[in-house]
Amino acid sequence: MKRLFVITMLTSMIPFVLADHHKDAKSKERKMNNPNHLMNFAECKEIKEGIGGILSMSDGIWKEIEKNPEDEKRWGEVIALSDLASNYSTVYDVWCKDMIKKRMKSRDKAKKKMKKEKNHEKPDN
């Protein structure tokens, strides 16, 4: 009875063991054609730089507001820029943050692997 249970258990686990994602050119193509894939790494980097630019522009306007707090036009500009930066930050957070985190994790893993291989090299005599 125990043998039958063990055999049944092992055979029922085989599909789960074999059902992993094989990385190849087709999987990358599938990922790029996925309807949930919106931006690539370069576009995310561009958005990040754009957010920085918008924030630096609003910083300049804040300095002008400090000189003349009565200027309603400048208040409108800084509110619009802050709202724009907030919206772009949300887009970056939703679409780019995880992708960049995974990319950095894989780079760190590759660096550790190279460092490990370098430490295990035998010196030539």
Side-chain angles (χ1 to χ4, degrees), residues 24-83:
D24 56 2
K26 287 182 182 179
S27 66
K28 187 174 183 178
E29 183 181 324
R30 267 187 262 128
K31 183 178 178 185
M32 294 301 282
N33 293 330
N34 186 338
N36 293 329
H37 181 78
L38 186 63
M39 291 179 269
N40 61 25
F41 185 76
E43 292 167 332
C44 287
K45 186 177 178 184
E46 214 174 287
I47 286 179
K48 184 179 177 182
E49 291 169 356
I51 294 168
I54 292 170
L55 291 175
S56 66
M57 285 173 35
S58 67
D59 188 44
I61 295 172
W62 273 112
K63 289 178 183 176
E64 293 177 20
I65 288 174
E66 287 175 353
K67 293 176 186 174
N68 184 11
E70 303 291 321
D71 192 358
E72 290 181 15
K73 180 184 172 194
R74 294 295 180 197
W75 279 102
E77 288 177 8
V78 80
I79 289 170
L81 286 173
S82 298
D83 191 40

